[in-house]
């Protein structure tokens, strides 16, 4: 595949600044492996990394339709957070307090794990642990922030504290909840660097190799068959493109913009440290970071779900959503209003029907799977990779006993119910924000929607 024919550098700011994106060679004919991994994103690559930690002699093959890091792993907001799609209270209701807290502790520990492993491999991915600032820009949002802080104190695991208006400088902010358990990274540098480090350890990464079907001991592609003792499927939002798993994951688009680098005096006015991430308490999610080269990388939801779980390159660009993001960023930081927007991009993330990420391994079929991160996957993929490595090698560990292991989410409804429900949910979150602005009270709409989105 010629880079001039598929300009991967145009996928996002991250790809444009990640270095060499020349595709690796693909599969040519049949081959064998101990473990075949479908998907060259972070779940697949971290699984390969930890498998080789446990057994350096394993023959590991990673199969990727495009290039490693093509999908959400290379395009996301760069939040290496402890966020899990389901809240702690929701996890407690489903699995009990001890199990919920075990998963929370594992997620928090994952941040340090990624930092230490990337440092040990000498990978410069702009890892910076400066925490997350969640602005409260109204009375309703302040109450939500203080409730989150109280919930964190109740469980005693997460570290979230209130910062007053004098400490935060977003326009109109009454204060903010500060969560120290978040780092930021350059996601494409992370995933591309991890792929190169894996090759140095002997893993084969076959790019430009589209998988057509997976069955026990066999992965079929357009260019040959890989026979393997064990198989891992790590395709996240693209899981919907396979007929056998078409309704297992809903591909929901999230879009981002990036500004030109901004001067030191501007950043001084914002109070944001380099590498710090930020959001607020609106229901239609936004997320951002101050990058290592002093840009805003800023994203949010709002793009509609497409009929039949379709994934197409043209869906990565939605001018209406990009304009909404530009206006929202200027509302938060008026000094950025005239900044040039240098990059616009998007892509699908994977949403399970119950918003509950999972890791599974079937000893009978010897097929493992992980995903359903709902956009909180940058660190969760590492935890999934370590867990899958234990499951595939028969290790009984604290990780394999976490409550997301073996969890089975129900399938999404068939069309047209899926289309109507997904887009109605998006509209409901936007309506909830309007409701709160008008009434000054917590949204009734959001309360009704809460159980459906993991709260």
């Amino acid at each position: 595949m010629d880079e001039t024919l598929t300009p991967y550098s145009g996928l996002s700011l991250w790809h444009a600044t990640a270095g060499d994106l020349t595709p690796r060679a693909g599969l040519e004919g049949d081959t064998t492996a101990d473990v075949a991994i479908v998907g060259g994103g972070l779940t697949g690559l971290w699984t390969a990394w930890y498998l080789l930690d446990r057994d350096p002699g394993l023959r590991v093959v990673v199969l990727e339709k495009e290039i490693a890091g093509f999908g959400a792993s290379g395009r996301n907001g760069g939040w290496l957070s402890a966020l899990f799609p389901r809240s702690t209270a929701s996890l407690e209701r489903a699995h009990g307090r001890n199990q919920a807290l075990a998963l929370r502790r594992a997620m928090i520990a994952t941040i340090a794990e990624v930092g230490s492993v990337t440092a040990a491999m000498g990978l410069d991915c702009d890892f910076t642990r400066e925490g997350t600032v969640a602005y409260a820009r109204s009375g309703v949002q302040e109450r939500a922030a203080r409730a989150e802080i109280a919930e964190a104190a109740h469980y005693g695991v997460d570290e979230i504290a209130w910062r007053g208006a004098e400490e935060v400088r977003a326009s109109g902010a009454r204060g903010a909840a500060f969560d120290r358990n978040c780092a930021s990274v350059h996601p494409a540098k992370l995933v591309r660097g991890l792929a190169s480090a894996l090759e140095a350890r002997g893993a084969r990464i076959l790019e430009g190799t589209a998988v057509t079907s997976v069955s026990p001991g066999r992965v079929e592609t357009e260019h040959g068959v890989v026979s393997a003792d064990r198989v891992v499927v790590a395709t996240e939002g693209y899981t919907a493109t396979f007929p056998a798993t078409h309704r297992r994951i809903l591909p929901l688009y999230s879009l981002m913009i990036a500004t030109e680098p901004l001067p030191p005096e501007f950043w001084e006015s914002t109070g944001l440290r380099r590498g710090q991430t930020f959001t607020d308490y609106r229901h239609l999610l936004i997320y951002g970071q101050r990058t290592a080269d002093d840009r805003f990388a800023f994203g949010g939801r709002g793009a509609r779900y497409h009929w039949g779980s379709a994934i197409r390159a043209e869906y990565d660009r939605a001018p209406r959503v990009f304009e909404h993001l530009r206006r929202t960023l200027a509302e938060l930081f008026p000094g950025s209003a005239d900044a040039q927007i240098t990059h616009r991009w998007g892509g699908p993330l994977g949403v399970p029907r119950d918003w509950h990420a999972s890791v599974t391994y079937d000893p009978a079929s010897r097929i493992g799977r992980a995903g359903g991160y709902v956009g909180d996957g940058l660190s969760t993929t590492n935890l999934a990779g370590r867990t899958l490595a234990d499951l595939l090698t028969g290790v009984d560990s604290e990780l394999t006993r976490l409550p997301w292991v073996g969890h089975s989410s129900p399938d999404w409804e068939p069309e047209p119910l899926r289309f109507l429900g997904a887009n109605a949910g998006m509209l409901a979150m936007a309506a909830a924000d309007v409701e709160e602005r008008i009434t000054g009270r917590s949204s009734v709409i959001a309360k009704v929607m809460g159980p459906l989105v993991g709260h």
Side-chain angles (χ1 to χ4, degrees):
M1 189 184 302
D2 189 328
E3 171 68 7
T4 61
L5 299 179
T6 306
Y8 293 110
S9 62
L11 287 173
S12 70
L13 163 71
W14 311 124
H15 289 85
T17 54
D20 185 14
L21 300 179
T22 304
R24 296 169 170 86
L27 180 64
E28 296 180 359
D30 298 348
T31 192
T32 60
D34 295 311
V35 181
I37 297 174
V38 181
L42 285 169
T43 298
L45 297 179
W46 280 127
T47 300
W49 181 265
Y50 290 105
L51 280 170
L52 291 173
D53 267 357
R54 286 146 180 74
D55 184 353
L58 282 175
R59 297 172 299 154
V60 178
V61 172
V62 179
L63 302 159
E64 167 57 45
K65 181 179 181 181
E66 300 287 348
I67 61 169
F70 171 83
S73 292
R75 306 190 207 183
N76 60 74
W79 285 41
L80 190 70
S81 76
L83 294 172
F84 192 80
R86 296 286 287 262
S87 69
T88 308
S90 175
L91 290 169
E92 181 182 24
R93 291 192 297 271
H95 307 292
R97 185 183 181 89
N98 290 341
Q99 283 284 75
L101 297 188
L103 184 53
R104 293 299 313 132
R105 293 188 184 99
M107 287 298 305
I108 292 168
T110 296
I111 302 169
E113 170 73 10
V114 174
S116 62
V117 171
T118 54
M121 70 173 71
L123 173 56
D124 179 11
C125 59
D126 299 335
F127 179 95
T128 308
R129 188 164 183 169
E130 289 287 354
T132 296
V133 179
Y135 300 111
R137 302 180 67 243
S138 68
V140 175
Q141 290 194 5
E142 181 176 343
R143 290 192 292 275
R146 293 188 181 277
E148 182 179 32
I149 293 167
E151 181 175 292
H154 169 73
Y155 288 111
V157 176
D158 293 274
E159 302 174 62
I160 309 177
W162 177 255
R163 288 185 172 179
E166 68 281 358
E167 296 182 72
V168 299
R169 303 173 195 167
S171 177
R174 301 160 65 106
F178 176 72
D179 185 347
R180 68 174 302 275
N181 289 316
C182 186
S184 64
V185 297
H186 184 303
K189 286 183 180 178
L190 172 61
V191 67
R192 299 292 296 173
L194 178 56
S196 296
L198 273 168
E199 286 185 308
R201 299 181 77 182
R204 295 175 65 195
I205 300 177
L206 303 173
E207 297 179 336
T209 302
V211 170
T212 56
S213 70
V214 174
S215 56
R218 183 181 177 89
V219 179
E220 296 186 20
T221 81
E222 295 177 348
H223 306 293
V225 174
V226 180
S227 300
D229 178 62
R230 286 151 286 178
V231 176
V232 172
V233 180
T235 48
E236 194 52 357
Y238 297 90
T239 302
T241 64
F242 294 91
T245 54
H246 180 62
R247 288 168 51 197
R248 185 169 296 172
I249 290 288
L250 183 142
L252 185 66
Y253 275 76
S254 192
L255 274 61
M256 294 193 69
I257 59 174
T259 67
E260 62 185 327
L262 299 170
E265 57 270 21
F266 168 78
W267 290 113
E268 176 63 25
S269 74
T270 68
L272 286 171
R273 299 169 65 89
R274 184 172 290 148
Q276 198 160 56
T277 60
F278 64 92
T279 184
D280 69 8
Y281 284 90
R282 71 188 68 204
H283 298 285
L284 195 61
L285 180 68
I286 58 166
Y287 52 91
Q289 68 154 289
R290 175 184 173 181
T291 67
D293 61 350
D294 289 334
R295 303 171 186 264
F296 275 120
F298 184 69
R301 307 286 165 80
R304 69 181 184 88
Y305 162 78
H306 299 278
W307 180 273
S309 294
I311 297 175
R312 298 177 183 170
E314 57 264 34
Y315 299 159
D316 296 347
R317 306 290 194 270
R320 175 187 59 81
V321 179
F322 290 142
E323 177 58 22
H324 165 73
L325 292 173
R326 187 197 64 78
R327 288 197 311 269
T328 302
L329 182 61
E331 289 169 7
L332 288 168
F333 303 100
S336 70
D338 295 328
Q340 180 184 356
I341 304 300
T342 60
H343 298 79
R344 299 170 177 84
W345 73 96
L349 51 87
V351 183
R353 182 62 179 83
D354 58 359
W355 289 56
H356 195 309
S358 62
V359 177
T360 62
Y361 179 65
D362 178 10
S365 67
R366 302 178 78 82
I367 296 176
R369 301 177 185 271
Y373 308 125
V374 197
D376 293 329
L378 190 53
S379 47
T380 318
T381 51
N382 176 273
L383 181 59
R386 285 182 281 142
T387 305
L388 281 168
D390 283 353
L391 290 168
L392 266 67
T393 55
V395 174
D396 180 18
S397 69
E398 290 182 359
L399 297 183
T400 62
R401 293 191 291 273
L402 290 173
W404 71 325
V405 176
H407 176 80
S408 179
S409 298
D411 282 349
W412 283 89
E413 291 79 1
E415 300 292 15
L417 296 178
R418 187 160 75 248
F419 179 87
L420 294 172
N423 287 313
M426 191 70 66
L427 292 172
M429 292 297 96
D433 288 326
V434 173
E435 178 190 357
E436 290 187 346
R437 286 197 298 271
I438 293 173
T439 67
R441 296 189 298 271
S442 298
S443 169
V444 174
I445 298 172
K447 185 176 182 179
V448 172
M449 293 294 295
L452 303 178
V453 294
H455 295 294

